[in-house]
Amino acid sequence: QVQLVESGGGLVQAGGSLRLSCVASGRTFSSHAMGWFRQAPEKEREFVAAIRWSGGSIYYADSVKGRFAISRDNAKNTVYLQMNSLKPEDTAVYYCAAKWKDWSTRGYEYDYWGQGTQVTVSS
């Protein structure tokens, strides 16, 4: 069982930065791939970024490539999402999620989800 708690969301102006954190409980964190997803009002949840259990493989959605960076610290049971050059269209609730071993862009393949943290980017 893995429990996930996100933090770091907030209100930021366009062009600004935020760093989201997701702390996991459970001894098997280092065996899980971690993903970040987001959901804007009246829109479907979408994939943002993911990192393999070992950190050796990372993937980004085209919409955030070059602006966002995912990383993990297995010693701290934490995954991060550094978000730079934020745009109003990045406004959403951001969720972290965990699945065994390898990452996926498909949300339904993830077994565990956090409660989400709100990110609002003003223009």
Side-chain angles (χ1 to χ4, degrees):
Q1 189 78 5
V2 177
Q3 292 182 325
L4 305 173
V5 178
E6 304 99 332
S7 62
L11 174 63
V12 64
Q13 288 188 332
S17 298
L18 283 174
R19 188 175 82 155
L20 305 183
S21 300
C22 173
V23 179
S25 64
R27 294 176 292 176
T28 60
F29 172 77
S30 60
S31 298
H32 283 75
M34 300 298 297
W36 285 97
F37 293 78
R38 65 187 182 186
Q39 187 166 20
E42 301 182 357
K43 291 189 176 181
E44 292 190 353
R45 182 179 61 196
E46 65 172 352
F47 169 80
V48 175
I51 185 167
R52 197 168 181 256
W53 65 275
S54 63
S57 176
I58 291 174
Y59 191 73
Y60 298 99
D62 287 343
S63 58
V64 305
K65 202 172 294 182
R67 299 188 299 122
F68 289 12
I70 188 171
S71 62
R72 66 189 296 159
D73 185 339
N74 285 346
K76 296 182 178 179
N77 277 15
T78 303
V79 63
Y80 305 97
L81 185 68
Q82 177 67 44
M83 305 186 296
N84 301 323
S85 302
L86 283 161
K87 305 175 181 179
E89 51 264 43
D90 294 318
T91 295
V93 177
Y94 283 71
Y95 300 89
C96 69
K99 69 178 293 294
W100 187 252
K101 292 299 185 184
D102 289 319
W103 56 261
S104 170
T105 62
R106 304 179 186 90
Y108 64 82
E109 294 188 2
Y110 286 77
D111 302 305
Y112 307 101
W113 291 82
Q115 83 290 347
T117 185
Q118 176 70 47
V119 172
T120 303
V121 184
S122 62
S123 57

